[in-house]
Amino acid sequence: MAFSGKFFPLWLGLAVLSKLVLAESLQQAWQQAEQASNSLRAEARKVAGARQQEAASHAAAGPALTVDAGVSQLDSTPTARLDISPLSQGLGALGAHLPSTVDAPLSNRDVRYANARLSLPLYTGGRLAAMQQAAAAATSASQYAQEQARQSLRLQVAEAYFNVLRARHAASVASQYLQSLQSYQRDVNNFFRKGVVARGDVLGAELAVADAQQKQISARQAESLSQSAYNRLLGRDFSQPAQPDELSLSGDKRSLAELQDRALQMRPELAGLAEWSASLQASARSVRAESQPQVGVYAAYSYLNNPYLVNKGVGSVGLGVSWTVFDSGLIRARAGSASEQAMAIEDQLHEVQSLIALDVQRAHSQQIEAAERIKVAQAALQSADEFLSIQRDRYRNGLANQTEVLAAEARRADGQRNLFNARYDHALAVVALQRAIGEL
């Protein structure tokens, strides 16, 4: 079906509009990835689980009501044998005919019972308070782990985002390189037909074009793979076209010392390890408190369906004490295990601090390096364009050989790649530095 000329502007406008709609910023990509991430959902569930554990630690200090009931069928009727011989004394001959014992049933064979008990701990030696502190610290540690996963995901998305742009530019450079060589090949063929150049130049041009075609094929496949990796992070179909916006990020102007100090304050990994250590220390205190007397009050009511009882239900209140005087070192070993784990976390915390300082220095260095590379690449590309123009002109006039022209073509393509690689390396270094200091 052919388009009428009057509809062509409308079609063109819709095509441009659709491209703009598909384009997305890095911030939009982050939001989409956070919504689609299974890892973040898993971390959110871990936080929810830690909060439930914290709620359980508070509930342990409150009153508890337990109820139990049962029905039993006995194989025989419980019976008590009573000695009534003292009652027959003084009855003479009549007493001699009376039995000395009497069997009395104590219950039916069908036994039914029910119990209810309300208890409240009064003193636990600090066990419950330490348990609550351990649960609260574990919740905080889980939240810091969730933030760590979120920032790590953002860095992964940024890498994939810039890889798509990088691959797209690489494919464009490969296409331009091929077109330039094809143009050069046409010139060589014209010169050959005129007898200006030898057959070897024609073959050399053909080989150069074939090599450029292979590079273009590789560049297109790399672009496709980069889009698949990007779409995977955003929870999309791998084949969906990716349209990340071009962007330029300003570098962080703070000094390295300021950035490292900021990282020690902001990195969620450090705060999370500190909370885990605090949680384990509190757990150790809670376990040690089990060796102290545990005091509580209770109120109970018991019911027994026994026809021989005057009162089938009996209520009671009381004060109970439980004290583990000796347990063969069980409590001491459990508390020691938790303490050792807490000290291990402290050692790990010091190690991570030094790794983070190095991470900040690396990202800061990469940012400076990429910024300097951009300046060099821009100047080099201008020189490469001019150098290629000169070499082509010299070749047309018989002052340069084919090798010089092909080298100039390759240098311009390398200059284009160096420039966009430096730009995207700089943008990624800015994001990586934000992640390194914990502000992403």
Side-chain angles (χ1 to χ4, degrees):
M1 178 179 178
F3 284 100
S4 174
K6 64 179 181 179
F7 291 113
F8 180 75
L10 176 60
W11 173 83
L12 182 61
L14 291 175
V16 174
L17 180 60
S18 64
K19 183 175 180 64
L20 291 176
V21 170
L22 288 174
E24 60 188 347
S25 66
L26 182 57
Q27 188 67 39
Q28 291 172 330
W30 282 340
Q31 293 174 355
Q32 178 67 28
E34 289 173 7
Q35 294 174 1
S37 174
N38 291 319
S39 298
L40 286 188
R41 278 195 289 271
E43 292 298 331
R45 292 186 182 277
K46 291 179 182 179
V47 172
R51 286 174 176 165
Q52 292 294 326
Q53 188 64 33
E54 185 177 1
S57 68
H58 287 278
L65 175 64
T66 58
V67 177
D68 66 278
V71 176
S72 300
Q73 185 68 33
L74 306 180
D75 59 351
S76 60
T77 301
T79 304
R81 178 161 295 175
L82 304 179
D83 182 12
I84 61 173
S85 57
L87 299 179
S88 61
Q89 294 179 1
L91 297 180
L94 179 60
H97 295 283
L98 294 177
S100 59
T101 61
V102 175
D103 291 340
L106 299 179
S107 173
N108 294 335
R109 292 179 59 191
D110 183 13
V111 179
R112 302 179 182 181
Y113 66 91
N115 299 297
R117 181 184 179 91
L118 180 65
S119 59
L120 177 68
L122 293 181
Y123 174 77
T124 62
R127 177 176 60 86
L128 294 178
M131 184 189 300
Q132 294 170 2
Q133 294 169 2
T139 299
S140 297
S142 299
Q143 291 172 336
Y144 284 120
Q146 182 182 27
E147 174 62 15
Q148 176 184 348
R150 186 191 68 83
Q151 292 195 24
S152 296
L153 175 64
R154 285 197 164 197
L155 181 57
Q156 291 177 1
V157 172
E159 290 176 353
Y161 186 97
F162 294 125
N163 282 341
V164 172
L165 294 173
R166 193 192 306 268
R168 181 181 301 166
H169 276 273
S172 177
V173 169
S175 179
Q176 293 175 13
Y177 181 52
L178 175 60
Q179 292 173 6
S180 180
L181 288 177
Q182 288 173 336
S183 175
Y184 167 72
Q185 184 184 30
R186 287 191 293 269
D187 291 341
V188 172
N189 290 335
N190 290 333
F191 292 153
F192 177 72
R193 283 192 293 268
K194 295 177 181 179
V196 177
V197 298
R199 174 66 176 166
D201 284 9
V202 175
L203 295 176
E206 290 178 354
L207 291 174
V209 169
D211 181 67
Q213 288 174 336
Q214 293 194 24
K215 290 181 178 178
Q216 184 186 45
I217 293 171
S218 299
R220 287 175 177 173
Q221 291 302 313
E223 182 181 9
S224 177
L225 288 175
S226 68
Q227 292 189 16
S228 297
Y230 177 73
N231 286 328
R232 188 195 72 83
L233 289 173
L234 272 61
R236 297 173 178 168
D237 187 84
F238 286 6
S239 61
Q240 180 174 334
Q243 296 292 341
D245 274 342
E246 292 285 352
L247 78 164
S248 177
L249 302 177
S250 300
D252 199 312
K253 303 302 182 182
R254 287 174 288 184
S255 67
L256 177 59
E258 291 175 331
L259 293 171
Q260 289 175 333
D261 290 341
R262 183 64 174 170
L264 295 179
Q265 299 172 5
M266 296 297 298
R267 282 291 287 264
E269 294 91 331
L270 297 178
L273 288 173
E275 291 294 341
W276 276 122
S277 177
S279 177
L280 290 169
Q281 291 172 0
S283 296
R285 294 195 300 271
S286 178
V287 172
R288 290 191 188 97
E290 294 179 10
S291 63
Q292 302 296 318
Q294 310 292 305
V295 181
V297 294
Y298 70 91
Y301 181 82
S302 299
Y303 174 82
L304 180 62
N305 186 23
N306 190 331
Y308 303 104
L309 295 178
V310 176
N311 294 319
K312 297 182 179 180
V314 179
S316 62
V317 294
L319 178 69
V321 179
S322 175
W323 192 356
T324 302
V325 179
F326 178 74
D327 63 354
S328 299
L330 175 61
I331 292 177
R332 182 173 63 254
R334 289 170 53 207
S337 174
S339 296
E340 289 295 332
Q341 293 180 51
M343 288 187 287
I345 295 295
E346 289 290 337
D347 293 336
Q348 185 178 354
L349 177 61
H350 296 314
E351 178 69 15
V352 172
Q353 286 175 340
S354 64
L355 291 175
I356 286 177
L358 181 60
D359 192 19
V360 173
Q361 183 175 356
R362 181 184 299 110
H364 183 258
S365 176
Q366 290 172 345
Q367 176 183 280
I368 296 174
E369 174 195 343
E372 294 298 325
R373 283 169 52 204
I374 291 175
K375 298 176 183 178
V376 174
Q378 287 173 337
L381 182 57
Q382 292 178 355
S383 299
D385 287 336
E386 184 178 359
F387 182 66
L388 176 59
S389 177
I390 293 173
Q391 291 300 89
R392 280 188 168 183
D393 186 65
R394 293 180 66 233
Y395 182 78
R396 294 189 188 99
N397 291 283
L399 300 176
N401 58 35
Q402 186 182 61
T403 302
E404 292 174 311
V405 176
L406 295 179
E409 291 278 7
R411 286 182 181 179
R412 186 181 68 167
D414 289 341
Q416 291 173 324
R417 282 189 288 267
N418 289 337
L419 180 56
F420 72 70
N421 278 327
R423 286 173 175 169
Y424 295 133
D425 286 344
H426 180 266
L428 182 58
V430 172
V431 177
L433 182 57
Q434 292 176 345
R435 172 67 183 95
I437 61 177
E439 292 183 349
L440 186 58

